[in-house]
């Protein structure tokens, strides 16, 4: 089950990065929320969550996410 969970996190993180790059902010936020929920300790997901929050102007949230890295 751990391997399947890791794949879910990896796919969600990659999907969030693709959406963010394409400017699809809401889709990126949704995917990154799934990645963080699946593995809150994953630095890549937390960093991406911070990036998404920053781009959306949610600076307090971005600061919190970056501190989790």
């Amino acid at each position: 089950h751990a391997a399947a969970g890791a794949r879910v996190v990896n796919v969600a993180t990659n999907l969030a990065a693709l959406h963010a790059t394409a400017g699809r902010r809401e889709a990126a936020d949704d995917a990154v929320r799934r990645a963080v929920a699946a593995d809150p300790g994953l630095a890549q997901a937390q960093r991406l969550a911070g990036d998404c929050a920053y781009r959306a102007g949610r600076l307090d949230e971005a600061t919190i996410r970056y501190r989790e890295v």
Side-chain angles (χ1 to χ4, degrees), residues 17-54:
L18 289 170
H19 283 310
T21 300
R24 294 187 294 267
R25 192 177 305 158
E26 288 182 31
D29 281 343
D30 184 50
V32 82
R33 274 191 222 101
R34 282 184 269 143
V36 171
D39 187 354
L42 184 66
Q44 181 183 4
Q46 289 292 352
R47 188 176 316 109
L48 188 56
D51 292 348
C52 287
Y54 179 80

